[in-house]
Amino acid sequence: MDKDWDNLIILDSYRADYFRKHSCISGKLSTFTSKGTWSLEFIVNNFQNFEFHDTVVVTSNPYYQRYSKLGEGTFHSIIYCPNTGGIKSFDKLSKKALETNEEFPNKRIIIHYMKPHTPHIGETSEKLRNKFGDAYPGMFLLYRSGVISKGTLEQSYIDTIDMIEPKVQKVLKELDGKSVVSADHGENLGEKRHGLTQVGHGNPTQECYRVPWLETEYTERRRIRTDPPVESTLIDEEIVEENLRALGYM
């Protein structure tokens, strides 16, 4: 939070090396070590017990509401979008982010998307969903069970990146001020570490800890002001549980 930005776009689980190789978003790119290897750890270590009354969070990540113990006084406001899944949910969050850009012209804005986190989207994962139907267990379980190769898992991840990045670029063009694109943590995609095959996140690995930091070009800065918090937009706890289940946490 002490870095220089007006808008911080967080692409959940976007690891640094894949960003460098596959991202089409232009800007000055560097990498750094995240304070978490999964979302809850990232949120707790960066935000818990602090006050950021100059910042509004727009997110579909359920951990801002569940388990992280962020009080009403942490941010100026948190605006939740109820769904975490496919590309339509991604678009809804983008719409909400641009509305927030207009509604809070004097606030920093964190936009925390839930992609390229699983469930993956795109051609590779869609073929497997059609093949397995209701029994589709997700890409990581398919890989662990030997049904798909490491290459297929990696391609599914890249497919997701390819689908979301043009949408992120559109949002960046509409945001006011200096925008940065980053991630809360990275992802393991079948790498061997400590003699074990690692997939997903929450692992103490370089792939999970290293994240991108892309500073994009801007013309004018937002004039940031600290104000007392306003009521956050919460979602129903049943929806929170559904979202956590869809993300593979329950």
Side-chain angles (χ1 to χ4, degrees), residues 81-93:
C81 291
N83 298 315
T84 60
I87 200 65
K88 289 183 179 180
S89 298
F90 198 92
D91 290 339
K92 288 179 181 178
L93 185 60

Side-chain angles (χ1 to χ4, degrees), residues 4 10 36 47 60 63 72-73 77 85 92 103 112 115 137 176 197 210-211 220 228:
D4 183 31
I10 298 175
F47 307 136
S60 55
Y63 282 122
E72 285 288 320
S77 184
K92 288 179 181 178
E103 184 179 354
H112 192 148
K115 289 286 178 281
D176 301 319
T197 299
R210 296 302 293 178
V211 294
E220 295 183 5

Side-chain angles (χ1 to χ4, degrees), residues 10-21:
I10 298 175
L11 299 175
D12 204 295
S13 307
Y14 202 157
R15 53 190 265 185
D17 56 342
Y18 273 69
F19 192 98
R20 186 178 296 278
K21 185 175 181 180

Side-chain angles (χ1 to χ4, degrees), residues 36-38 41 144 187-189 197-209:
T37 60
W38 63 302
E41 185 181 23
R144 283 191 178 278
E187 193 87 295
N188 277 118
L189 299 169
T197 299
Q198 304 283 357
V199 295
H201 40 267
N203 309 312
T205 62
Q206 178 179 343
E207 292 82 12
C208 285
Y209 272 120

Side-chain angles (χ1 to χ4, degrees), residues 24-181:
C24 58
I25 304 171
S26 60
K28 181 181 178 182
L29 177 62
S30 60
T31 65
F32 73 100
T33 301
S34 176
K35 292 183 179 180
T37 60
W38 63 302
S39 289
L40 181 58
E41 185 181 23
F42 168 86
I43 292 168
V44 167
N45 289 342
N46 283 284
F47 307 136
Q48 194 180 84
N49 300 321
F50 294 99
E51 290 184 354
F52 304 107
H53 295 173
D54 63 349
T55 304
V56 175
V57 176
V58 186
T59 184
S60 55
N61 189 310
Y63 282 122
Y64 284 86
Q65 182 168 328
R66 175 72 70 87
Y67 303 130
S68 60
K69 298 181 180 179
L70 297 184
E72 285 288 320
T74 302
F75 297 102
H76 180 67
S77 184
I78 304 177
I79 300 169
Y80 293 95
C81 291
N83 298 315
T84 60
I87 200 65
K88 289 183 179 180
S89 298
F90 198 92
D91 290 339
K92 288 179 181 178
L93 185 60
S94 296
K95 182 175 183 293
K96 183 63 67 175
L98 294 179
E99 291 172 354
T100 302
N101 178 65
E102 296 296 324
E103 184 179 354
F104 298 96
N106 297 311
K107 296 291 175 285
R108 299 172 102 191
I109 301 175
I110 295 175
I111 307 166
H112 192 148
Y113 289 101
M114 285 310 301
K115 289 286 178 281
H117 191 293
T118 54
H120 291 165
I121 53 179
E123 182 179 0
T124 302
S125 59
E126 190 61 28
K127 285 181 179 179
L128 290 164
R129 281 191 189 88
N130 292 335
K131 178 179 178 179
F132 288 93
D134 293 339
Y136 173 71
M139 299 301 296
F140 292 148
L141 284 176
L142 288 175
Y143 175 71
R144 283 191 178 278
S145 61
V147 176
I148 63 172
S149 66
K150 186 175 186 297
T152 299
L153 177 60
E154 292 171 334
Q155 186 58 53
S156 179
Y157 185 74
I158 294 167
D159 287 352
T160 306
I161 291 169
D162 290 343
M163 288 194 70
I164 65 172
E165 282 221 347
K167 296 177 178 295
V168 173
Q169 288 179 307
K170 288 183 180 180
V171 171
L172 285 168
K173 290 179 181 178
E174 298 296 325
L175 291 173
D176 301 319
K178 179 181 179 179
S179 297
V180 169
V181 182

